[in-house]
């Protein structure tokens, strides 16, 4: 999964940046200027934040970080893929990520 996520992040630079929180690095002042993470969002707060970054300032640093795929194992790859697609389609709608039904994302972990 690392390879496909890396590809998506690299390609996102040409439209709107995309990065997940565990891989983000930015100056605290800029983080605050962007409004920080949406604390009402039940998921994708990191994704929403990166969508605000100017694509000319977005960079991917070489290297690799590996983690377990326990969420994929528990939820299933198709459900995660569907979740990702819904996230992308609703990226400009902050209220979408605040819906109570999205608590299932964390409860499934």
């Amino acid at each position: 999964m690392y390879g496909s996520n890396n590809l998506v992040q690299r390609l996102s630079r040409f439209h709107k940046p995309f990065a997940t929180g565990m891989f983000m690095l930015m100056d605290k002042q800029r983080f605050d200027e962007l409004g920080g993470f949406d604390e009402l969002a039940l998921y994708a707060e990191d994704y929403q934040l990166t969508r605000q970054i100017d694509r000319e300032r977005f960079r991917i640093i070489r290297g690799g970080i590996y983690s377990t795929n326990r969420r994929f194992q528990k939820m299933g790859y198709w459900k995660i893929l569907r979740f990702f697609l819904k996230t992308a389609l609703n990226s400009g709608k902050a209220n979408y990520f605040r819906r109570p039904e999205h608590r299932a994302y964390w409860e499934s972990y």
Side-chain angles (χ1 to χ4, degrees), residues 1-76:
M1 194 63 188
Y2 167 76
S4 62
N5 192 31
N6 191 15
L7 177 63
V8 169
Q9 289 180 358
R10 288 184 185 281
L11 291 175
S12 76
R13 184 167 185 261
F14 298 106
H15 178 60
K16 283 285 192 179
F18 160 71
T20 54
M22 64 186 144
F23 301 115
M24 291 171 49
L25 178 66
M26 74 173 65
D27 182 75
K28 171 80 165 91
Q29 181 179 349
R30 184 65 181 136
F31 178 82
D32 292 339
E33 288 170 2
L34 292 172
F37 293 124
D38 179 354
E39 298 202 16
L40 297 176
L42 297 171
Y43 79 103
E45 66 283 355
D46 46 1
Y47 176 69
Q48 292 179 63
L49 183 67
T50 58
R51 302 281 294 171
Q52 298 178 61
I53 297 171
D54 181 3
R55 70 180 185 204
E56 298 302 318
R57 307 262 316 153
F58 185 77
R59 299 288 183 266
I60 302 289
I61 299 171
R62 288 189 173 270
I65 298 175
Y66 300 92
S67 66
T68 65
N69 64 351
R70 60 185 178 256
R71 185 178 303 276
F72 289 94
Q73 290 172 341
K74 182 140 184 159
M75 293 178 73

Side-chain angles (χ1 to χ4, degrees), residues 54-104:
D54 181 3
R55 70 180 185 204
E56 298 302 318
R57 307 262 316 153
F58 185 77
R59 299 288 183 266
I60 302 289
I61 299 171
R62 288 189 173 270
I65 298 175
Y66 300 92
S67 66
T68 65
N69 64 351
R70 60 185 178 256
R71 185 178 303 276
F72 289 94
Q73 290 172 341
K74 182 140 184 159
M75 293 178 73
Y77 285 91
W78 289 113
K79 189 170 184 177
I80 292 290
L81 179 61
R82 189 180 72 195
F83 216 71
F84 177 79
L85 290 173
K86 284 184 177 182
T87 297
L89 292 172
N90 290 287
S91 64
K93 305 173 190 168
N95 286 332
Y96 175 80
F97 301 99
R98 298 174 179 173
R99 292 181 180 173
E101 64 264 24
H102 296 305
R103 291 188 197 283

